[in-house]
Structures are given as structure tokens and as C-alpha cells.
């Protein structure tokens, strides 16, 4: 059986960043930058007022109170055409550019206006309430680095940098094929000994959450000819995810049919729980990840192996999410030779520590436990017994780490 880290490394080696395409900044959320994004403008372009008040020379208000002559008004979007002289002030509003000669802002609460005169009751040092030109960024400065998956904050920054078009990596097209005579689509008539299919829908949602484009091929029956025809539908995609039938039992046909269709199989057993019968190979130019048919095992394996592969194709700088740490909320027994991924709730204690508490039942048939989990607690092979309060590695769900 392949250790998890070795298997993930072999899978990742089969993938590379996809070519770049150009998208409008309004459609860039969730896309991954293919090149560093530099600003086309300086922001702010000039020294601006950060408050409503009066633009003055700091030297004129060094000894307050003092009365100055008001020579103009500068709302945002306007400017004072002249230069401020000794003893002069300009009424200014937030976002307004400072007149030439002005170097500080006296807020309106510290001034009293009387026609064209203003009395300054409290002085202000040079630079007070002034946003200097280039405070945020300057033209030519890199604002967002290549390999970043764009958030709403990044989209706003790109727009502010006057970049209406962005170069991003193409979304990976991931074909998804569920197998088994016993599964039917939600809402279809349910015969005796049949179960409702969830894997295809969960994996399609998973691929979308990771930034890919799912291509749902449907449910393949346990028939070699029909399965082969449906597998052919994955040719040309960037990855094929199969669910079920990846083992070598009498009714597990996926490996055999893939081989008949010219696929090369690299490995098909992983030293992990849940998810031992995981397969990896290549069908022509399309890498194939054969996930277990059990819904929980399928999603856990997708999180550990398919997610990094999609991230690599998207050009993300670190395809494997950085491991997080928490403390255990309960005792755990010693582990066997398979790496364990325990569904767990994640809470923050009174000291600000994250506490991961695995569910007491970890049966891989329990999809409700998967839906209610906040993370997976990772137990290495042959790990000794652990006590509540011990530090453990976790795979968080959501929160910028992983959405499944």
C-alpha cells in the first residue's frame, strides 16, 4: 500500500499549471492569477485630505489660536488652482487634493469660520490628516502576485489599480463518473436494494469549490461495454474522477475497463482510512483518480488527493494546503499502520486555542458526520495513544483552507 504522502506526490507529478486566459475583472472572483498584477496608476494620485477641515501651512498654525484668510474651497473631485500663501487657508473636504503650499489639515472641529476668515483653535503638525500620494500603491508596483486565488478584496484592488482585464489560469475541466448498478439519481424510483446516488453531486460541488469545472458523465452500470463508452467521454478533460469500482473484486470493473481502453495504472491501494482502494493512472493524456465508492471515503480522498491536483492545474503557488494545528478534545487510542483521517468538530476554547474533537463513531458510511464536521484530525501510522489536550495535525474545511 502506498503511504499517503508518496501517493500524493506521485499524483501531483502528473499535473502542471494550465494555460492562461484573459477575463474581465468583474468575472475574476475565485480565479488564479497567471502573472503578477502591476498597477497602472498611483493611489492616491496626489496628497489628499483624510478629513473635512482646512488645508493650511503647519508653520502658520504652530501657535494657536490664529486667524487665517479663507481663499477657496476644495470638495473631492475638485482642486484649488493656486498656491497657498502665508496666512491663507482653503476649506477642504475628505478626498480633496491639498493645494500647493499646504502641508497639513486642521479638522473643522478645531476651527471657527466667519465669512472669509477662519480661527484655528488648535494647531496641527505637518502631515496631519494628509494621505500622501502613493500611500496605497504606485504605478508599476506589484499589487497581487501570480498564483493567488482572487478574493473579493483582490478584485477590488485590481479594479483600483485600473486593471480591467486579468490573465488567469484556465479552469480545469474535471470529468466525474459514478459507477454501480445499485445507485439511482435523487428523485428517481428507488427499487429494493438500491441506494440514492450522492457521490457525483458531492464531487461536482467539490470541484466547483476548488475552482474547477465539473463535467458529470452520469452513473455507469456494472457493465464493461457501457462503462467503457462512458469512460471515453472523459477523453480531452484535464482529469477524470471515478467513484466506485476501483478495487479488484468481481464487480469492480473500473480498473479492468480502463486498462482495456489503453489506460496505464500507477497504483490502487493507499495506506489510509477511510479510502484504502484509491487508484491512480492515466487514460491517454488524462490523469485518472479512482475514488472509493463509499461517499465519505470518496470525499476524504478527494480532499487529500484531488484538491491538490486541481490547485496545481490552477497554478496556485502551494497546491498542498499548509497543515494546521489544534489540540484534542478527547482521548484517542493507538493507531494501526494506516494513516487515519477522523471527522471532528472544531471549537475555540477560553484561551483562544482550537480544539478538535473527533466524533465517537467514525464509520465511513455516516455521511451526516462528514457534513457536520469542521475538520479532519490526522493520525499518522502507528501513532501512540493520545490524550485530550495533545497537539494534533488537522485538515480544516473552509476558512480559506479547503471547501468540501
Amino acid at each position: 500500500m502506498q503511504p499517503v504522502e508518496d501517493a500524493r506526490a506521485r499524483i501531483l507529478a502528473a499535473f502542471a499549471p494550465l494555460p492562461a486566459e484573459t477575463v474581465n475583472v468583474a468575472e475574476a472572483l475565485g480565479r488564479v492569477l497567471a502573472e503578477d498584477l502591476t498597477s497602472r496608476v498611483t493611489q492616491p494620485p496626489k496628497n489628499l485630505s483624510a478629513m473635512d477641515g482646512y488645508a493650511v501651512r503647519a508653520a502658520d498654525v504652530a501657535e494657536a489660536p490664529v486667524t487665517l484668510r479663507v481663499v477657496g474651497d476644495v470638495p473631492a473631485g475638485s482642486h484649488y488652482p493656486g498656491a497657498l500663501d502665508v496666512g491663507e487657508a482653503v476649506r477642504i473636504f475628505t478626498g480633496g487634493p491639498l493645494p500647493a503650499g499646504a502641508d497639513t489639515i486642521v479638522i473643522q472641529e478645531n476651527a471657527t469660520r466667519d465669512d472669509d476668515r477662519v480661527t484655528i483653535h488648535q494647531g496641527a503638525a505637518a502631515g496631519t490628516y494628509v494621505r500622501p500620494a502613493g500611500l496605497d500603491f504606485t504605478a508599476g508596483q506589484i499589487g497581487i502576485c501570480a498564483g493567488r486565488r482572487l478574493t473579493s478584496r483582490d478584485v477590488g484592488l485590481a479594479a483600483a489599480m485600473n486593471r480591467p482585464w486579468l490573465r488567469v489560469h484556465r479552469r480545469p475541466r474535471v470529468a466525474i463518473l459514478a459507477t454501480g448498478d445499485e445507485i439511482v439519481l435523487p428523485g428517481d424510483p428507488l427499487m429494493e436494494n438500491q441506494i440514492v446516488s450522492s457521490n457525483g453531486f458531492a464531487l461536482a460541488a467539490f470541484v466547483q469549490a476548488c475552482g474547477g469545472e465539473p463535467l458529470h458523465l452520469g452513473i455507469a452500470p456494472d457493465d464493461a461495454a457501457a462503462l467503457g463508452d462512458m469512460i471515453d467521454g472523459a477523453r480531452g478533460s484535464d482529469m477524470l474522477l471515478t467513484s466506485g469500482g476501483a478495487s479488484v473484486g468481481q464487480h469492480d470493473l473500473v480498473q479492468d475497463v480502463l486498462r482495456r481502453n489503453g489506460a496505464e495504472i500507477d497504483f490502487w491501494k493507499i495506506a489510509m482510512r477511510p479510502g484504502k482502494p484509491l487508484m491512480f493512472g492515466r487514460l491517454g493524456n488524462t490523469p485518472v483518480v479512482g475514488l472509493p465508492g463509499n461517499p465519505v471515503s470518496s470525499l476524504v480522498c478527494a480532499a487529500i488527493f484531488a484538491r491538490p491536483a486541481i490547485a496545481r492545474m490552477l497554478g496556485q503557488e502551494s497546491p498542498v494546503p499548509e497543515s494546521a494545528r489544534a489540540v484534542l478534545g478527547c482521548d484517542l487510542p493507538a493507531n494501526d499502520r494506516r494513516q487515519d483521517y477522523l471527522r471532528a468538530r472544531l471549537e475555540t476554547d477560553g484561551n483562544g486555542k482550537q480544539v478538535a474533537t473527533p466524533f465517537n463513531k467514525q464509520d465511513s458510511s455516516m455521511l451526516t458526520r462528514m457534513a457536520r464536521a469542521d475538520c479532519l484530525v490526522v493520525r499518522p501510522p502507528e501513532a501512540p495513544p493520545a490524550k485530550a489536550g495533545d497537539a494534533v495535525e488537522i485538515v480544516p474545511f473552509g476558512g480559506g483552507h479547503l471547501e468540501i
Side-chain angles (χ1 to χ4, degrees):
M1 290 189 292
Q2 286 287 323
V4 171
E5 288 73 16
D6 291 352
R8 183 160 52 194
R10 289 168 72 167
I11 290 174
L12 272 175
F15 295 89
L18 295 174
E21 61 184 10
T22 301
V23 299
N24 188 277
V25 66
E27 300 170 349
L29 180 65
R31 305 302 296 269
V32 178
L33 273 183
E35 60 187 19
D36 291 344
L37 196 67
T38 57
S39 177
R40 297 168 60 185
V41 295
T42 293
Q43 179 62 30
K46 300 178 180 180
N47 294 343
L48 304 181
S49 174
M51 299 288 283
D52 293 348
Y54 293 87
V56 300
R57 293 165 12 106
D60 288 344
V61 297
E63 295 183 8
V66 62
T67 299
L68 308 176
R69 185 166 67 94
V70 180
V71 295
D73 293 273
V74 182
S78 181
H79 73 285
Y80 180 68
L84 211 60
D85 206 349
V86 176
E88 293 181 340
V90 166
R91 178 71 164 120
I92 199 166
F93 299 88
T94 302
L98 266 67
D103 58 5
T104 193
I105 302 296
V106 173
I107 59 174
Q108 60 189 15
E109 291 86 347
N110 293 336
T112 302
R113 177 80 175 266
D114 182 13
D115 196 17
D116 67 344
R117 299 286 173 173
V118 61
T119 299
I120 306 301
H121 303 291
Q122 183 175 321
T128 302
Y129 297 122
V130 174
R131 292 179 180 143
L135 172 67
D136 199 356
F137 49 81
T138 57
Q141 181 180 332
I142 296 174
I144 311 173
C145 294
R148 179 171 173 86
R149 191 174 180 184
L150 298 173
T151 66
S152 59
R153 293 163 286 141
D154 299 320
V155 170
L157 177 57
M161 293 192 304
N162 199 23
R163 297 299 301 263
W165 301 97
L166 310 180
R167 295 286 286 170
V168 297
H169 289 283
R170 176 173 65 77
R171 293 184 190 273
R173 293 186 288 267
V174 181
I176 299 168
L177 179 64
T179 66
D181 287 335
E182 76 279 9
I183 56 177
V184 296
L185 292 174
D188 283 355
L190 193 61
M191 307 299 289
E192 188 177 2
N193 299 322
Q194 288 186 317
I195 58 174
V196 179
S197 174
S198 63
N199 285 9
F201 296 97
L203 291 173
F206 174 89
V207 168
Q208 282 185 299
C210 291
E213 293 182 353
L215 173 62
H216 206 326
L217 300 179
I219 301 174
D222 290 328
D223 175 83
L227 180 57
D229 290 341
M230 296 184 76
I231 284 176
D232 272 340
R235 293 185 186 272
S237 61
D238 299 303
M239 178 166 62
L240 169 61
L241 289 179
T242 66
S243 175
S247 190
V248 291
Q250 182 178 354
H251 300 287
D252 295 318
L253 303 176
V254 172
Q255 274 199 60
D256 185 51
V257 172
L258 281 169
R259 292 181 194 274
R260 291 185 199 175
N261 284 32
E264 297 179 358
I265 306 301
D266 188 344
F267 59 83
W268 68 273
K269 279 186 180 180
I270 303 292
M272 66 179 288
R273 180 177 42 245
K276 175 183 173 183
L278 181 129
M279 177 190 67
F280 177 64
R282 185 181 289 274
L283 179 65
N285 293 323
T286 303
V288 181
V289 179
L291 302 170
N294 181 292
V296 172
S297 302
S298 179
L299 273 176
V300 170
C301 287
I304 304 304
F305 302 106
R307 164 65 176 87
I310 294 173
R312 169 65 57 81
M313 288 188 282
L314 284 170
Q316 289 184 266
E317 195 170 332
S318 301
V320 179
E322 293 183 8
S323 61
R325 304 291 290 180
V327 297
L328 277 174
C330 64
D331 296 347
L332 292 176
N335 195 22
D336 60 17
R337 64 193 183 103
R338 286 198 282 169
Q339 185 148 303
D340 225 345
Y341 291 88
L342 306 174
R343 287 153 286 168
R345 298 302 301 268
L346 194 60
E347 298 174 317
T348 303
D349 67 12
N351 298 318
K353 289 184 178 180
Q354 290 202 304
V355 180
T357 306
F359 294 111
N360 58 348
K361 289 186 180 296
Q362 290 287 327
D363 192 295
S364 60
S365 68
M366 301 175 72
L367 193 54
T368 53
R369 295 288 170 93
M370 189 66 174
R372 294 171 185 168
D374 304 304
C375 67
L376 299 172
V377 169
V378 183
R379 294 280 285 155
E382 310 296 346
K387 296 289 187 181
D390 287 351
V392 289
E393 179 185 354
I394 62 171
V395 178
F397 298 156
H401 295 278
L402 184 66
E403 295 289 351
I404 70 171

